[in-house]
């Protein structure tokens, strides 16, 4: 049976060390998973069940590069995040199983139309248009997990035009990598190809046309974009 029009290409991300691509199925994101960032956004950093939102798969900018300033906003923010790439899936997983489901990790940017998000929060509305717009998920190549070694600490930082904006450690995440996967698997059935953005440290702020953003996660990767 033929399609009524040609389907869109499969979103995919390069994998470090090989010529293969990681096909992306879905993108999940954890909100306010660093206490300092929760406070700077007016939230409560107390350990509560993680809040998830999604981005469309075609919002990925694989490898970074030029990112157009999006329409509908006057307050575009950067958020550097460790991204989990799943190599297998399941539901109702336990935390002590979760690491077995990980293919690798990447450095990602959760670009955010902050003014739209603030308006939506005040009205009790969803964040879709604040988070899930075109080109809102620049992503480095995926670094395969090295056997049983998974990041539990390490610097996560971001500069804009060479000036430090965000500087944290993934050890400061409120919810750990296994806990995030386990909790999400109780809400949806996870599958190979799913990406999970794990939250950002404090220091988020606005960027404008011409700004160069570089985000680094020690031992994982670097993502660089220029707002055009």
């Amino acid at each position: 049976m033929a399609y009524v029009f040609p389907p869109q290409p499969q979103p995919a991300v390069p994998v470090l060390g090989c010529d293969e691509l990681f096909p992306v199925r879905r993108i999940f994101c954890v909100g306010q998973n660093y206490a300092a960032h929760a406070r700077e956004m007016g939230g409560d950093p107390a350990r509560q069940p993680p809040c998830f939102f999604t981005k469309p798969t075609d919002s990925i900018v694989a490898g970074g590069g030029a990112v157009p300033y999006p329409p509908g906003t006057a307050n575009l923010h950067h958020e550097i995040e460790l991204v989990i790439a799943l190599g297998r899936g399941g539901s109702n997983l336990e935390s002590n199983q979760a690491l077995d489901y990980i293919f690798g990790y990447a450095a990602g940017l959760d670009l955010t139309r902050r003014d739209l998000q603030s308006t939506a929060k005040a009205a009790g509305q969803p964040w879709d248009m604040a988070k899930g717009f075109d080109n809102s998920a620049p992503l480095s190549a995926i670094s395969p997990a090295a056997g049983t070694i998974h990041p539990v600490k390490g610097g996560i930082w971001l500069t804009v035009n060479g000036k430090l904006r965000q500087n944290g450690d993934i050890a400061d995440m409120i919810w750990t990598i296994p806990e995030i996967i386990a909790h999400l698997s109780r809400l949806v059935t996870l599958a190979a190809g799913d990406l999970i953005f794990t939250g950002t440290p404090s220091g988020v702020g606005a960027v404008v046309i011409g700004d160069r953003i570089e985000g680094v996660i020690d031992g994982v990767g670097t993502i660089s974009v220029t707002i055009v």
Side-chain angles (χ1 to χ4, degrees):
M1 184 175 294
Y3 293 105
V4 295
F5 52 82
Q8 294 295 311
Q10 166 69 54
V13 183
V15 177
L16 284 176
C18 69
D19 295 328
E20 297 177 323
L21 296 174
F22 180 92
V24 179
R25 179 174 179 262
R26 292 179 297 185
I27 303 175
F28 300 97
C29 307
V30 183
Q32 298 185 7
N33 196 32
Y34 289 75
H37 175 58
R39 285 191 290 267
E40 76 177 349
M41 297 304 299
D44 183 353
R47 188 179 166 96
Q48 300 291 331
C51 170
F52 294 99
F53 58 92
T54 62
K55 289 178 179 278
T57 57
D58 62 3
S59 67
I60 288 174
V61 183
V67 172
Y69 195 96
T73 184
N75 195 18
L76 178 66
H77 276 211
H78 57 75
E79 298 189 9
I80 176 66
E81 308 204 6
L82 175 70
V83 180
I84 304 165
L86 296 183
R88 47 189 290 228
S91 58
N92 297 311
L93 304 178
E94 298 296 332
S95 294
N96 59 7
Q97 300 174 294
L99 295 181
D100 295 335
Y101 289 74
I102 297 173
F103 173 82
Y105 299 91
L109 294 176
D110 170 18
L111 296 179
T112 302
R113 295 195 277 207
R114 191 70 73 199
D115 43 2
L116 271 63
Q117 185 187 35
S118 297
T119 299
K121 283 182 176 181
Q125 297 173 346
W127 301 357
D128 297 57
M129 292 300 99
K131 291 286 192 177
F133 52 92
D134 299 341
N135 305 301
S136 63
L139 195 70
S140 75
I142 294 172
S143 177
T148 58
I149 300 174
H150 296 267
V152 294
K153 62 180 180 179
I156 175 172
W157 47 278
L158 179 143
T159 62
V160 177
N161 302 324
K163 296 182 179 179
L164 188 64
R165 288 273 192 93
Q166 293 184 263
N167 188 20
D169 194 294
I170 59 175
D172 296 332
M173 289 195 296
I174 297 170
W175 291 89
T176 66
I177 291 168
E179 290 170 336
I180 289 168
I181 295 172
H183 192 89
L184 184 57
S185 77
R186 298 184 187 106
L187 300 173
V188 297
T189 299
L190 298 173
D194 287 344
L195 298 176
I196 308 173
F197 282 61
T198 60
T200 195
S202 62
V204 300
V207 290
V208 298
I209 292 173
D211 281 348
R212 178 171 175 79
I213 306 168
E214 183 171 81
V216 180
I217 301 176
D218 291 342
V220 173
T222 300
I223 180 67
S224 298
V225 305
T226 300
I227 305 299
V228 299

